Amino acid sequence: QSFKLLGFLDVKSVPCARESVLYGSLGSLVVGLGHFLATSRVRRSCDFAVGGFICTMLGYWFYCRYNLAQQRIRQRMLKEGMRNKILFEGSSFDPEKKQTGNERSNS
């Protein structure tokens, strides 16, 4: 069963959404409770808790999405390298193939 946050963010299918909401909730609790213990002002502490939720959630969202993009780039490069290895293995374009003196004179 999927869970939609604010009616449009499907937490189950969107990468990094679940972790962002969980870390945002934890950040909200820490910031709100910390502010309440420091000042004993309930309304202001709730405001800080909401701000903490938004900042923590967005911060982790961007961090997670950046890492996901980096991982996809590395996977794409690895896939391309494996495809090139399979294509050029044993041919004259193979970078791992050692050229002997006879092959150099022929080329």
Side-chain angles (χ1 to χ4, degrees), residues 43-69:
R43 184 174 173 91
R44 187 81 169 162
S45 297
C46 290
D47 293 342
F48 270 81
V50 170
F53 174 77
I54 292 171
C55 290
T56 307
M57 186 179 79
L58 288 178
Y60 189 76
W61 172 268
F62 288 121
Y63 170 75
C64 184
R65 294 297 285 201
Y66 177 76
N67 284 339
L68 187 65

Side-chain angles (χ1 to χ4, degrees), residues 2-51:
S2 66
F3 173 71
K4 290 194 177 196
L5 185 67
L6 301 175
F8 64 90
L9 180 63
D10 189 11
V11 176
K12 186 177 181 181
S13 64
V14 176
C16 300
R18 179 181 178 269
E19 291 85 7
S20 296
V21 171
L22 290 175
Y23 281 119
S25 300
L26 182 65
S28 169
L29 181 70
V30 169
V31 170
L33 189 62
H35 189 270
F36 176 74
L37 291 175
T39 63
S40 297
R41 296 175 67 191
V42 176
R43 184 174 173 91
R44 187 81 169 162
S45 297
C46 290
D47 293 342
F48 270 81
V50 170

Side-chain angles (χ1 to χ4, degrees), residues 50-87:
V50 170
F53 174 77
I54 292 171
C55 290
T56 307
M57 186 179 79
L58 288 178
Y60 189 76
W61 172 268
F62 288 121
Y63 170 75
C64 184
R65 294 297 285 201
Y66 177 76
N67 284 339
L68 187 65
Q70 291 294 325
Q71 182 182 10
R72 287 182 179 168
I73 289 170
R74 285 192 301 268
Q75 285 176 346
R76 192 176 324 123
M77 289 173 55
L78 185 61
K79 188 177 181 180
E80 184 73 24
M82 289 172 63
R83 186 176 337 120
N84 287 340
K85 171 99 174 135
I86 292 170
L87 281 175

Side-chain angles (χ1 to χ4, degrees), residues 89-104:
E89 189 173 27
S91 70
S92 61
F93 297 112
D94 189 5
E96 293 182 2
K97 185 177 177 184
K98 303 274 187 197
Q99 289 184 343
T100 61
N102 294 338
E103 290 176 357
R104 287 186 188 153

